[in-house]
Amino acid sequence: MSGLSDKVKGTVNKTKGEAKDQIGNATDDHKLQAEGKIDKLKGEVQKEVGEIKDRFDRKNDR
């Protein structure tokens, strides 16, 4: 139950979200900016889930 895949997906979503947010800001596209912010938040949650899974795995290995 490795959290690595969740952390990788989280990083991808955060990066994608940052790009959308910046492009939306540059083009004054509020919808794209909002999508970017949602993607960044989703990425942060995915990364945290990965961290929790890793902590759980380490605890069970003891």
Side-chain angles (χ1 to χ4, degrees), residues 11-55:
T11 300
V12 168
N13 276 317
K14 282 182 74 173
T15 303
K16 179 176 72 171
E18 184 62 35
K20 283 183 179 181
D21 190 14
Q22 293 297 321
I23 292 168
N25 188 37
T27 61
D28 203 32
D29 185 338
H30 299 291
K31 181 180 176 197
L32 189 60
Q33 267 186 295
E35 287 176 14
K37 291 181 189 315
I38 290 169
D39 286 343
K40 285 193 288 188
L41 181 59
K42 179 181 173 183
E44 289 175 22
V45 170
Q46 283 176 314
K47 284 182 77 172
E48 188 59 34
V49 166
E51 292 293 330
I52 291 168
K53 285 181 179 180
D54 284 347
R55 277 185 254 148

